[in-house]
Amino acid sequence: VKVIESKNNTAELPLDKICTQLYPNWEHDTNLVISPYKDVHELISEASVVCGVQSLTLLESALVGLPVVVPFFDYFRKSADGNRYAYERFLGLFDATGSVEEFKEKILWRLSDARIDVNTQRRREGVFSKEVCDLSGTAVERTANLIRTLTQSG
């Protein structure tokens, strides 16, 4: 575990400090790396599977055909915060999981089988076009190719 650099922007969550408060030895007991200033598109280009809760990165990763695993755990889903979860309407595009065990299993499965069916990928592109930016013409292909190019050149 390593923390590349702590965030100083108060609008962003200081994940390293939150983790330390919750789990004082997390840096020694996990393989978690917090890199708050790393370029997200570089991370996407390096990823085999993307996990997250509520970030545009999920839709960007889905756009380029990566498996996306979302920990939409039952206890969160049933909570007041879960009722306000903005990405719930997108869960059909991802692999949503209801428990920690299912989350781990789904990540391992996706590492061995990253295939996204054609219909799901089309729905992903449609949602991205509607929710993020219009992808008329060849923009979907150009965006995906750019990220793939970054992957190959990195």
Side-chain angles (χ1 to χ4, degrees):
V1 174
K2 57 184 174 175
V3 178
I4 305 303
E5 184 177 339
S6 295
K7 288 192 172 193
N8 295 319
N9 179 349
T10 57
E12 302 276 346
L13 286 176
L15 293 178
D16 54 328
K17 291 176 185 168
I18 292 169
C19 287
T20 300
Q21 288 173 344
L22 294 171
Y23 309 101
N25 293 318
W26 72 270
E27 293 181 76
H28 306 290
D29 297 340
T30 68
N31 63 356
L32 178 65
V33 175
I34 298 175
S35 305
Y37 296 106
K38 192 157 184 178
D39 180 75
V40 70
H41 296 111
E42 183 179 336
L43 291 171
I44 291 170
S45 72
E46 295 171 359
S48 300
V49 176
V50 174
C51 302
V53 178
Q54 186 166 303
S55 171
L56 181 59
T57 303
L58 301 178
L59 293 174
E60 291 174 319
S61 300
L63 178 67
V64 296
L66 286 173
V68 176
V69 182
V70 177
F72 192 55
F73 298 161
D74 294 337
Y75 68 86
F76 175 72
R77 182 177 44 82
K78 296 173 185 174
S79 72
D81 289 329
N83 289 331
R84 296 191 320 261
Y85 179 55
Y87 273 46
E88 185 171 9
R89 60 197 170 120
F90 304 133
L91 289 178
L93 305 175
F94 312 135
D95 293 314
T97 60
S99 68
V100 172
E101 295 77 22
E102 186 182 1
F103 183 62
K104 291 176 186 177
E105 289 170 6
K106 189 65 75 167
I107 292 169
L108 292 173
W109 175 68
R110 281 309 198 167
L111 286 169
S112 67
D113 185 358
R115 293 174 293 180
I116 305 299
D117 71 79
V118 174
N119 290 331
T120 299
Q121 189 58 38
R122 284 189 187 127
R123 287 186 10 247
R124 287 172 160 198
E125 292 167 5
V127 166
F128 191 91
S129 182
K130 180 181 177 195
E131 301 290 334
V132 181
C133 71
D134 183 21
L135 298 175
S136 58
T138 61
V140 171
E141 290 175 34
R142 288 184 289 138
T143 302
N145 287 337
L146 174 63
I147 293 173
R148 285 187 194 106
T149 300
L150 290 172
T151 303
Q152 295 168 355
S153 65

